[in-house]
Amino acid sequence: MALLALSKCYYLGNLDQKVFLNEIKEIIHFHQEHHNLTRLAYQSAWELLIYTLIGEKFYEQVIVIELHFVRETRRELEELSKCVDWKRKKVEREKETKEVIVLMRWLNSLEFFFRFCSFWNEEFVGLFGNVVQLFRASSGNHREIRGECIDFFREAAGNKIMKVEGLLKGGAIDAVLEEISQQSLNEDNKICCFSFFLELSERLQEEKEDEKEEAKRKVFDKMEEEGLDDCIIMFHHFLLEEELPFSYPDENLECYFMPL
């Protein structure tokens, strides 16, 4: 109960991370060794770290590398998924089971984490895959979880640190394509799916520009090695006059969401 209450401390804002970081780290490490916490308590400990420490690379690396965030999250999602009766219809559920509640809390925390995370880790690909599995398992009778999975993919695609190749390998792109092909898709989910692909197109353009800049740098380095200073100056003037091949026609997103 204490961890559940503490997990909402981010509402207070501007907490001193040093006050609780070491203690929460010890709690998480102890649970990883002895499994002494309930699933809700364990998720609450992670939520406290994520909502209060995310956005600072040092603390993010503590979360991901030192505390093994991806490994632990994947394990929790897999175990929780096994405890959910995916075939049980909503009308048959008087209230959600505690496993469903914790799953939703994990997905909300992941959305926040991937919205603000400031570095890429290859382990993220496997985590995308776990969320895709949840997405497909919930397709029949748990539309709320399915919707949260799509929100998670949209947040990840909108983060400039995330790699398009990682989203592709993890199955996120296929999952959103599956969702957008549903005839019963409501307007909010349509907008979420379209937003995902708009963010994806921006990531592709940025990666293309990064590759272009890397190619330019290699040309400059080669010229400098060979002492071709005059060529460097001419090449530099050429690049400054080059027209960019891509531009957005309108920043107003309404033009992208016309009825199909």
Side-chain angles (χ1 to χ4, degrees):
M1 293 300 294
L3 286 170
L4 178 60
L6 285 171
S7 69
K8 302 304 177 185
C9 282
Y10 62 89
Y11 284 120
L12 300 176
N14 298 321
L15 290 176
D16 185 358
Q17 292 92 340
K18 294 180 181 179
V19 171
F20 62 84
L21 176 59
N22 290 334
E23 286 77 5
I24 296 298
K25 282 171 56 178
E26 289 178 6
I27 289 172
I28 289 176
H29 279 308
F30 193 85
H31 174 77
Q32 289 172 353
E33 184 176 352
H34 301 285
H35 303 285
N36 62 308
L37 298 174
T38 65
R39 290 194 173 100
L40 178 58
Y42 191 48
Q43 191 281 330
S44 297
W46 280 107
E47 188 168 305
L48 176 60
L49 291 180
I50 291 169
Y51 279 86
T52 52
L53 302 181
I54 201 67
E56 297 188 36
K57 192 170 183 178
F58 169 77
Y59 293 120
E60 290 173 4
Q61 290 178 337
V62 169
I63 291 172
V64 174
I65 299 173
E66 182 178 344
L67 295 177
H68 309 289
F69 170 67
V70 175
R71 182 196 69 190
E72 293 297 299
T73 304
R74 293 186 65 184
R75 182 178 54 77
E76 289 295 306
L77 292 179
E78 289 173 357
E79 292 184 1
L80 287 164
S81 180
K82 294 175 182 178
C83 298
V84 176
D85 183 0
W86 296 109
K87 296 181 179 180
R88 191 180 181 189
K89 296 181 179 179
K90 187 173 183 179
V91 294
E92 299 172 347
R93 304 194 303 264
E94 293 183 4
K95 59 181 180 179
E96 296 290 4
T97 64
K98 58 184 178 181
E99 289 83 11
V100 171
I101 292 172
V102 179
L103 262 178
M104 292 290 284
R105 286 171 60 90
W106 272 114
L107 289 171
N108 287 328
S109 298
L110 287 175
E111 288 173 36
F112 190 87
F113 180 89
F114 279 87
R115 184 190 308 165
F116 296 108
C117 182
S118 60
F119 79 103
W120 168 257
N121 187 291
E122 289 297 329
E123 290 184 333
F124 293 162
V125 176
L127 185 53
F128 294 152
N130 283 96
V131 178
V132 169
Q133 291 175 6
L134 275 180
F135 167 82
R136 289 176 176 148
S138 63
S139 61
N141 302 315
H142 288 267
R143 296 295 301 178
E144 298 86 356
I145 293 179
R146 189 176 173 95
E148 289 295 334
C149 293
I150 294 297
D151 286 341
F152 164 73
F153 296 139
R154 180 190 60 180
E155 296 293 354
N159 189 330
K160 294 182 179 181
I161 298 300
M162 297 300 116
K163 295 183 179 181
V164 175
E165 183 181 5
L167 290 166
L168 181 62
K169 287 182 177 179
I173 296 175
D174 288 338
V176 179
L177 285 172
E178 290 175 24
E179 179 71 1
I180 206 170
S181 66
Q182 298 295 314
Q183 294 182 352
S184 59
L185 197 64
N186 61 40
E187 290 300 316
D188 288 341
N189 285 345
K190 284 181 183 178
I191 291 174
C192 187
C193 290
F194 288 141
S195 296
F196 171 85
F197 286 111
L198 282 174
E199 298 288 0
L200 204 64
S201 67
E202 290 187 11
R203 295 288 78 71
L204 288 169
Q205 181 62 23
E206 289 166 0
E207 290 184 8
K208 180 180 178 181
E209 291 299 323
D210 290 341
E211 292 175 359
K212 186 176 180 181
E213 290 299 321
E214 178 65 17
K216 292 177 186 177
R217 187 189 63 77
K218 289 181 179 179
V219 171
F220 277 120
D221 289 346
K222 182 66 174 177
M223 289 179 174
E224 287 180 347
E225 289 176 4
E226 298 183 5
L228 301 177
D229 296 338
D230 292 337
C231 290
I232 293 174
I233 295 172
M234 292 176 62
F235 188 49
H236 178 69
H237 284 302
F238 169 76
L239 293 175
L240 289 177
E241 295 173 359
E242 182 183 25
E243 292 184 2
L244 291 175
F246 183 92
S247 62
Y248 287 103
D250 190 349
E251 292 184 358
N252 185 357
L253 294 182
E254 292 180 1
C255 65
Y256 294 98
F257 301 130
M258 298 297 291
L260 296 178

